Amino acid sequence: MGLRRPLRHPVPPTPVPRAPATGWPPGPGGGVTRRQMLLGSLAAAGGVATIGALGGCSPATVAAGGARPLSYWHLLSGGDGVVMAGLVEEANASDNGYEATQTVLAWGAPYYTKLAMASVGGRAPDVAVMHASRVAGYAPGGLLDPWDLDLLADVGVQEGDFLERVWEKGTLDGNVYSIALDSHPFVLMYNTDVAEQAGALGDDGRLVPVEDPETFLEVARAMQGVTGGHGVSYGYLGDGAQMWRLFYTFFKQHGGEMDLSGDRVQVDTDAAVASLEYIQRMLDGTVCTPNGDYGTAVSEFVTGGSGMFLTGVWELPTVKAAGIAFDAQPIPTLFGTPAAYADSHALTLPHQNDPDPEQRRAAYQFVADLLQNSLPWAEAGHIPAFQPVVDSAEYAELTPQVNYAPAAEILNYDPEAWFTGSGSDFQAYFLETVQNVYLEGADPAEGFDAFVRRVDVQLAKPNPV
């Protein structure tokens, strides 16, 4: 397929707008639901104060040139925000009947709260980015509209264009509520110069095969002998997301399952404890520092203080900018089952009571244009979800992206519940209950049991949206 190249000078992200809150009319049928009452109370209490003029749904006016204005919300800032701005500008330049305006909101809970309020209050944008792991908490409450698969096909997007587990993540009760733009897994980056000096670089210039936990520790210690610092950079202190990413990768490699569909956690405790015990072995001061934070880990790796780096694909631009010789790959399968923690930025249709059909068609075309021309998103590190891009000759030229792309085939999202996913409190619960297992060598079984009890408390509560 023909892929558009990225713009050389993308426009900067749109500043976060600030405006007073607006009212929130009742949903379809005219009645006020418990969900609307709750969210309305949040707004009245000051929990959501900037919905009013966030570029949400309003009567569409077709411009003189025939382009329909589209409102597009996302939570991407920094380098990702600049790249996304370029994608939006490129999509608008396609002259496909729309003009999308992006609104950038603060990452995490503020974004998801505003998005929920906009859907309830009749001010929803035409398209919004969500983490795929958050869809299970939003779609059941009617905050998202399902995608029309026939209309998607009309604009050149269909299920067969995605890996099965990536497509399925956006599906709930037979409806598709999100279309993934990417997957961004936890991967292993490594310094090829350090690996060569440590005898861990194969004849193909790649890291030697590592297929069991002891070999990984041996390779890490050999690299530490070269760097004098650590074998592996891994920062987690005060960061539940980083703790969870590594734990969940190993847990799934053990074949572990965690089911949050009932009123109590159903989980493979043996796999969880074994994963935590291995992490404790890694945090020995030689393989990894026992008390490092994320920023320190990034700095250590890019300055040559370690041979390997456990991180997300989003750090690719940072490592490239450092100028070190490096490569990347999926995290080695140490415990039998290939697996990696991941999430996806996904495109959604926030609920609108009476969407205009032509406006919706324009939104579908905009989403198709983002997906079909997402090579710049790959250049920024993310693995495109739209497989024709991954299968293209242009993508094959991207290194190390092409070497870690197989991680998308073994990814694992958070267990589904209304309170899980990126930017939620779920990973904070893991931090609260398990950090001392990492930091002070506390008993893994006791720490994980405390986490399970904390999650059980949440499972006993109804989904507030």
Side-chain angles (χ1 to χ4, degrees):
M1 62 177 290
L3 299 173
R4 295 179 185 153
R5 305 302 300 174
L7 297 178
R8 294 186 178 276
H9 300 289
V11 298
T14 303
V16 177
R18 299 183 181 278
T22 62
W24 46 281
V32 178
T33 67
R34 177 183 181 277
R35 167 173 61 87
Q36 293 165 334
M37 284 290 290
L38 177 57
L39 292 175
S41 298
L42 286 173
V48 183
T50 61
I51 286 297
L54 290 180
C57 180
S58 60
T61 301
V62 180
R68 286 183 169 268
L70 294 178
S71 57
Y72 172 47
W73 288 14
H74 65 78
L75 68 177
L76 301 160
S77 59
D80 279 351
V82 173
V83 175
M84 177 54 71
L87 292 180
V88 173
E89 184 178 1
E90 182 80 351
N92 286 336
S94 67
D95 195 25
N96 275 335
Y98 60 79
E99 182 75 20
T101 299
Q102 61 171 354
T103 297
V104 185
L105 299 169
W107 194 94
Y111 176 80
Y112 286 106
T113 302
K114 289 177 173 67
L115 190 59
M117 284 298 300
S119 296
V120 169
R123 300 288 297 176
D126 294 297
V127 179
V129 168
M130 290 185 67
H131 290 95
S133 60
R134 298 298 297 266
V135 171
Y138 276 67
L143 300 181
L144 301 176
D145 289 338
W147 290 90
D148 181 325
L149 301 189
D150 291 335
L151 185 51
L152 273 177
D154 285 347
V155 295
V157 177
Q158 51 195 339
E159 180 177 352
D161 295 325
F162 299 81
L163 295 174
E164 181 178 358
R165 65 176 65 198
V166 174
W167 179 265
E168 286 298 320
K169 185 59 183 175
T171 302
L172 190 69
D173 296 331
N175 290 314
V176 175
Y177 287 99
S178 70
I179 307 295
L181 174 63
D182 63 40
S183 58
H184 43 274
F186 213 48
V187 297
L188 179 72
M189 297 183 183
Y190 57 95
N191 185 312
T192 52
D193 288 341
V194 172
E196 184 175 25
Q197 294 177 58
L201 203 67
D203 294 338
D204 60 356
R206 307 285 305 282
L207 190 68
V208 296
V210 177
E211 299 173 340
D212 64 81
E214 297 307 320
T215 299
F216 183 75
L217 297 178
E218 290 170 7
V219 169
R221 292 183 180 119
M223 290 189 180
Q224 190 276 336
V226 174
T227 66
H230 297 101
V232 182
S233 290
Y234 169 61
Y236 72 87
L237 194 64
D239 190 337
Q242 275 292 99
M243 289 176 57
W244 177 258
R245 290 164 184 153
L246 185 59
F247 163 78
Y248 201 56
T249 295
F250 288 160
F251 175 75
K252 298 303 289 187
Q253 287 194 2
H254 276 97
E257 296 292 337
M258 185 178 298
D259 183 358
L260 306 184
S261 62
D263 56 5
R264 296 181 67 84
V265 178
Q266 300 297 314
V267 63
D268 185 342
T269 302
D270 290 343
V273 171
S275 300
L276 292 172
E277 289 175 342
Y278 186 70
I279 291 171
Q280 286 183 325
R281 292 184 63 194
M282 290 175 55
L283 299 173
D284 65 355
T286 298
V287 175
C288 300
T289 180
N291 58 359
D293 61 34
Y294 185 72
T296 300
V298 174
S299 177
E300 180 182 56
F301 182 69
V302 300
T303 57
S306 66
M308 296 184 283
F309 183 24
L310 291 164
T311 187
V313 299
W314 52 85
E315 286 299 343
L316 180 64
T318 300
V319 178
K320 277 195 167 186
I324 64 174
F326 80 104
D327 205 338
Q329 65 172 57
I331 293 175
T333 302
L334 306 183
F335 302 105
T337 302
Y341 165 85
D343 208 337
S344 294
H345 295 111
L347 298 155
T348 65
L349 298 171
H351 174 67
Q352 295 181 7
N353 291 344
D354 188 22
D356 175 80
E358 292 305 315
Q359 187 77 3
R360 270 285 160 92
R361 177 172 284 277
Y364 276 59
Q365 184 62 61
F366 169 61
V367 166
D369 289 339
L370 290 180
L371 293 170
Q372 293 164 1
N373 298 284
S374 56
L375 185 68
W377 203 236
E379 292 172 334
H382 305 283
I383 304 173
F386 194 70
Q387 289 303 289
V389 174
V390 177
D391 294 337
S392 69
E394 292 94 332
Y395 188 83
E397 297 174 358
L398 297 181
T399 303
Q401 289 93 320
V402 70
N403 293 331
Y404 63 67
E409 302 173 10
I410 59 172
L411 59 79
N412 292 271
Y413 298 95
D414 275 4
E416 288 192 355
W418 63 264
F419 54 87
T420 62
S422 297
S424 70
D425 289 334
F426 179 68
Q427 293 163 356
Y429 304 149
F430 195 68
L431 169 68
E432 295 166 4
T433 54
V434 181
Q435 179 167 268
N436 281 344
V437 175
Y438 287 47
L439 181 62
E440 299 178 358
D443 183 79
E446 292 182 3
F448 189 72
D449 185 58
F451 172 66
V452 169
R453 292 196 304 270
R454 181 65 184 85
V455 174
D456 279 343
V457 171
Q458 291 303 106
L459 289 176
K461 300 177 182 179
N463 184 344
V465 298

